[in-house]
Amino acid sequence: MTPVWKFHFPTSGLWCEKMKGFKIFQRVLILILVSLSTFYGGYNLGKRGYLIEIKKNPPEIKILNRSPSSKEIDFGKFWEVWNLVSTQYLERPVDSQKMLWGAITGMVNSLGDPYTSFLPPQVNKVVNSNLNGTFEGIGAELGLRENQLIVVAPLDGSPAKEAGVRAGDAIVEIEGVSTLGISLNEAVSKIRGDAGTVSTLTLMRGNEAPFTVMIKRGVITVASVSWEDKGDGTAYIRVSRFGNETNNDWDKVVSQIDMGMSELDAIILDLRGNPGGYMASAVYLAGEFVKGKQPILYQENALGEQIAHETDRVGEFQSIPSVYILLDGGSASASEILAAALKFHVKATIIGTKSFGKGTIQDARDFSDGSGLHITVAKWLTPDKIWVHKNGIEPDIKVERTDEDINNKIDAQLDKALELAKEI
């Protein structure tokens, strides 16, 4: 007889317990895998700068790119490029801090305003030092005119001025590299440097052929205000910038004039080559001459709202019969504010050449890492509400300084002011 095999499959006891344990293990494993997938997906979305908004009714997941305004701006592209550069650029690792500063700089430069700029810490330090009156470099205020890098003004006592650099000179090359398309921040970072090192610039002056100057950088300390007794009751006051110490320097000079001159009939205020600085300082100096509460300038914001900046100081020069102001193409910003105010309120006579023409106001912000932002927030108008931006202030008496005059140290503009002062 063929044997019949019978197989018995137990349905209880230890085997059932094992089956239950296996099923529990399966559920736990699935839960872990789902949790890991959710965590990894959320981590990557969060890393890319996204927000996950969960709506309960009806339940859905909505992904929104971070946006600084209500406009539909997709920042996903920014993070996509950032990640690609960070992970695939040949010369890795990349400098993330440098990339961040570069991104901010590019964003600010896209506005097309040469006076709105982001300054990395080292550049910001140099800019602040310039206003304080002590800095290392060649000592020249830079600007952009029709996308061309120019010298607004070489500062008094600076290596740039000693090397013959003049206001209005175009800088076409820095260290042999073209400045075409360069930003002010880039120019500053290339030209600045430690005292004793050399900066090589290629300049153009008017329609002349380009020429190269080698300027040895130095430590420059310049008083923002100085003066001379020119005799016959005439005081000559030179203001080279409107910085942190200008008001104090001005007060010292005013005190010295009061004590040192028994007769004061005329003041010659020299603002040539003064690139400007703090607006509040220009208002303060104007108050030395202007009687009563008067507007020194109007500040107009993006909405067209105008705010008067007034002075009600009781200054020492409010009874001076004659005031003469020297201007040139290097006189900008706060220099133009002061000149326009004195021309309007005390009938000051402006001598020289047309000023630079900078009619906007910048707010300076310093950040905790040492970087800074200069952002154009308004335009300024003269007391008769004229905007001089890109137009400058025309002199009442036009007097040019020729190359021959400069070489022979003849100052025809100052001589003209002295001539008029003596006719009082």
Side-chain angles (χ1 to χ4, degrees), residues 263-278:
E263 178 186 1
L264 185 58
D265 300 316
I267 290 178
I268 299 172
L269 187 60
D270 190 350
L271 301 176
R272 293 175 296 179
N274 183 326
Y278 295 125

Side-chain angles (χ1 to χ4, degrees), residues 43-261:
Y43 169 77
N44 278 284
L45 289 174
K47 187 176 73 171
R48 294 182 184 180
Y50 294 124
L51 293 173
I52 300 179
E53 178 181 291
I54 301 178
K55 295 186 176 180
K56 295 182 179 179
N57 194 12
E60 65 174 340
I61 295 177
K62 186 176 182 182
I63 300 174
L64 301 173
N65 289 316
R66 293 184 187 270
S67 173
S69 68
S70 61
K71 296 180 180 179
E72 295 181 359
I73 301 175
D74 186 358
F75 273 72
K77 183 63 67 180
F78 175 85
W79 293 114
E80 182 180 359
V81 173
W82 179 282
N83 289 333
L84 285 172
V85 172
S86 299
T87 59
Q88 297 187 24
Y89 180 64
L90 173 64
E91 298 181 11
R92 282 173 278 169
V94 298
D95 187 335
S96 297
Q97 184 63 71
K98 189 175 180 180
M99 282 174 60
L100 175 62
W101 286 336
I104 299 173
T105 298
M107 172 183 66
V108 173
N109 288 348
S110 71
L111 298 173
D113 176 11
Y115 304 113
T116 295
S117 57
F118 174 74
L119 304 108
Q122 190 58 38
V123 178
N124 194 38
K125 180 180 178 181
V126 171
V127 171
N128 289 334
S129 296
N130 287 353
L131 286 173
N132 292 336
T134 302
F135 55 92
E136 291 184 56
I138 68 169
E141 182 77 11
L142 306 182
L144 287 171
R145 178 176 285 159
E146 297 178 354
N147 296 321
Q148 172 62 59
L149 182 67
I150 66 166
V151 177
V152 175
L155 303 182
D156 289 349
S158 67
K161 194 160 189 176
E162 292 178 5
V165 176
R166 301 183 195 171
D169 283 351
I171 304 176
V172 295
E173 290 183 357
I174 301 173
E175 312 300 341
V177 178
S178 171
T179 59
L180 185 65
I182 197 170
S183 69
L184 283 177
N185 283 347
E186 290 176 298
V188 169
S189 65
K190 290 178 182 294
I191 296 176
R192 66 176 170 81
D194 297 333
T197 59
V198 174
S199 174
T200 303
L201 305 178
T202 302
L203 308 177
M204 281 190 66
R205 185 169 297 156
N207 295 322
E208 298 177 9
F211 60 96
T212 299
V213 292
M214 298 180 67
I215 307 171
K216 187 176 181 179
R217 301 179 180 97
V219 177
I220 306 107
T221 302
V222 187
S224 60
V225 187
S226 58
W227 79 285
E228 291 180 39
D229 183 349
K230 292 295 186 179
D232 299 319
T234 300
Y236 166 84
I237 305 176
R238 165 70 179 157
V239 181
S240 61
R241 72 182 175 282
F242 294 87
N244 288 333
E245 296 300 320
T246 298
N247 291 1
N248 291 333
D249 291 345
W250 175 266
D251 288 343
K252 291 175 185 177
V253 163
V254 171
S255 178
Q256 291 169 5
I257 291 174
D258 283 345
M259 295 178 61
M261 296 184 66

